[in-house]
Structures are given as structure tokens and as C-alpha cells.
Amino acid sequence: MVCHDNETIKFFYDLSKKNLSETWKPKDVVVVSLGLLVCAFVIFANILVMLAIFMNRRFHYPIYYLLGNLAAADLFSGISYLYLMFHTGPWTIKLSIPQWFVRQGLIDTSLTASVINLMAIALERHQTIFTMQLHSKMTNHRVVLLIVGIWLIAIVLGLVPAMGWSCVCNIQQCSNMAPLYSRSYMVFWAVLNLLTFTVMVAVYTRIFIYVRRKSHRMSQHTSQVKHKETVVNLMKTVVLILGCFVVCWTPGLVLLLLDGLCESCDVLTYEKYFLVLAECNSFMNPIIYSYRDKDMRDTFKRILCFPCVASQQKGEHSGVRFNTLEQEARKTREGDGDQTNRGQVVLKDAENMLGSTES
């Protein structure tokens, strides 16, 4: 076995037949321009989410810690992609092999952390909704351990190619999309993310079925209109969460599988655009998981110093989502003693935990 550690980046790109130009072409300019625009949105949106969670005590619960960690992963993704934009195109040829692995490793680590965070949020919501709690009973210590575990897995997966799972010593197995990566690693990474997506589909489908059944029981005591509204809103949220993930990730993952399994397939035509599309998921996440929350939006307004903040602060107590289940039940009983309303409150909170309605 002969290793090619001393070869140039151009050597590997020529083997994979991936064009490595020394001058800027229109396609390179378009890709970099799109990439920089996406990076700006990703970095700004996720910094805003992290600041809001840090500043507002109402968000000091496990689900919001996970949302903050998701924002951190997406922020890292934006920074990593920004680094990539300044080391791509004609700049790629100037990279050494270690520098190339750093560039790719940052992208792999950040995107992996983002995807695992999405699955962790899905599992947390499954646990809270099925126990009819507004917030997980997970301790801060366990949340910290979970977050550390997410980053350890992401970092390991990002370092694996540089640690040996590459084609530097087996050039027959070089990928076309990532010329220093082994085809088998590309398949492994794609399958791992597809499995993660499958778990998310299963979890959110089970949540939807459960809440629909609960809503149906409540509909025996309330109007069918409210029952239908709850189910429809929940379905919209599930479709939004999974649909966004599918749209952003599926094209790239399919391309990775083709790159690893089909040597004759042309995977280079759209690969850069599909990477930009996957990166778009990092600024869609704050919109889906955070900006649909009224309290989160109000905190954003305070951060951005909107003129209307002063007037909003006087009546800004939408705290249904931030009270405990027992407090909500007590408030409902004190209002009119109707136990059916208590069930509606719980259902509404379950729906809110999916981010499906305005608070």
C-alpha cells in the first residue's frame, strides 16, 4: 500500500476528474455569492436565538437549552461554511492536504452536530408530550451531558477522515465530490444521516398520532371545529419540520450515496448547489423552532431595540407555555371548574411545544 501524503491537492482532484481551475469562472462566483449570503443569514439568525435564550429566564428549560445548542451548531455551521467560501474555487489549489482536511472536517462536524441536535429535540418533545408536561424533567446536569455527547459524536465524525478513513493511501477509492475522502466514508455519512431522518419521522409521526387521539377525545366535549383546528395545526407543523429537512438534505444525501456507490454517475454538476441547500437548513431551523414562538419574538424585539418594546413590556405575559402543568390546571379550575378546559390547555401546550401556533 502506497500513501500519497506528499502529493498536492491537484493530484487528487485530477484523479477524481473534478475540475480545479486556477481562475474564477461564472459558476464559482455564483456559488460563492450564494454561499456568503446564506452564511450571513445563518450567523445573524442563530446569534439572535442564542442571545434570546441567554437573556430571557423564561427560556431556561431543557428544550430551550437544546434549541440554544442547535443554534450554536448552526452558527458553527455558518462559520465553517464561511471558511469554506474563502478556501474554494481557485483558492483550493493552494491548500495543503492537512488544510483541506481541516476545511472539510469543520463542515462535517457542524452539519453532523446540527442534525443530531434536531433528533435530540424530537426525542425531548416526544418525552414531554407523552408525559403531558410543559417542560422535560431532565436535570441541567443531564442536559449538559447530552449536549457534550452531541458535540463529541460530531467532532469524532468530522475527524474520522483525517485520522485515516480517507483515500490518501488507497487512491482507487477516492470520492469524486470530496477527492481525498474514501467512497465508503461518503456512504457511511449519508446512511447515518438518513437513519437520523428516519428516527425523526418515526418520532414526529408518533407525536402526531398521540395528540390527534387526545384531541379527538376532547372533541367529545367541545366543538368539532376546535378539534379539527388542533389536528390541522399539528399536521402543518410536522409537515414543516420534516418537509424542510427533506428539501434541504435529501438531494445532497442522495448525491453522496451515488458518489459512493456509482463510479460512473455524474455527481459534480450540482454538488456545490446541493451543499448550499443543506446549509440553508441552518437558518431554517431558527425560523421553525424559535421565531414561531411569540415570547421568543418579543425577546428578539428587545434585543434589536424596536420602538414598540416599551409598550409591549407592560402587557407581555403570555406565560402559558412557561407555567407548570399544575399551575395551568389550577387556573382552569379556578376559572370555571370545567375539566374539559384543562385537557384543552394540555393539548394546546403539546401543540405549542411543536411550535405550531402563535402563543
Side-chain angles (χ1 to χ4, degrees):
M1 182 180 295
V2 179
C3 293
H4 301 270
D5 302 274
N6 296 323
E7 295 290 349
T8 63
I9 293 297
K10 189 176 185 304
F11 170 80
F12 292 95
Y13 274 70
D14 289 342
L15 282 177
S16 67
K17 299 179 182 180
K18 187 172 185 178
N19 184 33
L20 190 61
S21 61
E22 297 184 9
T23 58
W24 286 95
K25 296 182 178 180
K27 180 181 177 181
D28 297 325
V29 174
V30 170
V31 170
V32 171
S33 299
L34 285 174
L36 292 176
L37 183 62
V38 170
C39 287
F41 278 114
V42 169
I43 292 172
F44 173 76
N46 288 287
I47 287 178
L48 202 56
V49 171
M50 293 174 67
L51 283 175
I53 293 174
F54 176 77
M55 294 174 61
N56 195 333
R57 289 183 177 275
R58 294 181 180 182
F59 302 141
H60 293 182
Y61 292 97
I63 180 59
Y64 289 105
Y65 295 148
L66 290 177
L67 287 175
N69 192 47
L70 174 63
D74 288 334
L75 174 62
F76 182 42
S77 178
I79 294 173
S80 300
Y81 197 65
L82 186 66
Y83 180 83
L84 174 65
M85 288 298 98
F86 287 103
H87 294 82
T88 190
W91 291 322
T92 304
I93 200 171
K94 300 177 182 179
L95 298 175
S96 64
I97 290 179
Q99 289 173 331
W100 189 93
F101 276 120
V102 168
R103 187 190 76 171
Q104 298 303 123
L106 289 174
I107 290 292
D108 292 346
T109 298
S110 59
L111 293 180
T112 301
S114 181
V115 172
I116 297 176
N117 263 288
L118 289 174
M119 185 175 67
I121 290 171
L123 294 173
E124 193 276 346
R125 293 184 178 191
H126 178 276
Q127 188 269 331
T128 53
I129 290 174
F130 270 72
T131 55
M132 300 305 285
Q133 298 290 324
L134 290 181
H135 299 290
S136 172
K137 292 183 178 180
M138 198 175 356
T139 64
N140 290 341
H141 179 68
R142 289 184 178 181
V143 173
V144 171
L145 288 178
L146 176 60
I147 291 173
V148 170
I150 289 171
W151 282 103
L152 284 177
I153 294 173
I155 291 171
V156 168
L157 289 177
L159 289 176
V160 161
M163 294 170 63
W165 199 349
S166 66
C167 67
V168 174
C169 296
N170 188 7
I171 58 176
Q172 289 77 21
Q173 290 297 315
C174 285
S175 159
N176 290 324
M177 290 176 60
L180 275 73
Y181 277 7
S182 171
R183 292 180 184 274
S184 57
Y185 175 78
M186 302 294 276
V187 173
F188 165 77
W189 201 82
V191 169
L192 184 65
N193 283 279
L194 288 172
L195 287 175
T196 302
F197 171 64
T198 302
V199 171
M200 289 173 59
V201 170
V203 169
Y204 280 118
T205 300
R206 191 159 185 260
I207 291 174
F208 171 75
I209 293 173
Y210 176 78
V211 176
R212 185 179 62 177
R213 288 176 179 173
K214 282 287 184 181
S215 178
H216 180 69
R217 292 175 187 175
M218 294 300 112
S219 70
Q220 297 175 4
H221 307 284
T222 59
S223 67
Q224 290 294 326
V225 175
K226 289 184 179 180
H227 165 63
K228 183 178 180 180
E229 182 182 355
T230 298
V231 175
V232 170
N233 284 336
L234 183 58
M235 176 60 81
K236 286 180 180 178
T237 299
V238 173
V239 170
L240 183 62
I241 292 170
L242 299 180
C244 181
F245 191 87
V246 169
V247 170
C248 292
W249 279 95
T250 301
L253 293 178
V254 170
L255 213 61
L256 288 178
L257 286 175
L258 288 175
D259 185 30
L261 300 174
C262 177
E263 295 187 19
S264 60
C265 294
D266 180 16
V267 296
L268 299 177
T269 303
Y270 302 105
E271 55 115 359
K272 290 186 177 180
Y273 296 106
F274 287 169
L275 179 58
V276 173
L277 186 60
E279 185 67 23
C280 286
N281 192 240
S282 291
F283 77 78
M284 290 302 295
N285 287 335
I287 296 174
I288 295 174
Y289 290 96
S290 300
Y291 295 155
R292 289 165 60 85
D293 185 323
K294 183 179 183 299
D295 290 288
M296 186 72 77
R297 291 200 306 273
D298 289 341
T299 306
F300 293 155
K301 290 177 182 178
R302 289 200 296 272
I303 294 173
L304 297 175
C305 300
F306 276 20
C308 58
V309 170
S311 60
Q312 287 183 350
Q313 285 178 338
K314 296 179 181 178
E316 182 200 44
H317 293 290
S318 59
V320 171
R321 344 172 17 103
F322 301 97
N323 292 331
T324 64
L325 183 62
E326 290 76 9
Q327 289 172 324
E328 290 299 335
R330 186 168 61 253
K331 285 183 180 180
T332 304
R333 286 196 299 270
E334 290 173 353
D336 58 10
D338 189 350
Q339 294 299 323
T340 301
N341 287 342
R342 180 175 182 268
Q344 288 294 334
V345 168
V346 172
L347 267 185
K348 196 69 174 179
D349 290 329
E351 189 178 322
N352 282 340
M353 273 187 263
L354 283 172
S356 60
T357 60
E358 297 289 333
S359 293

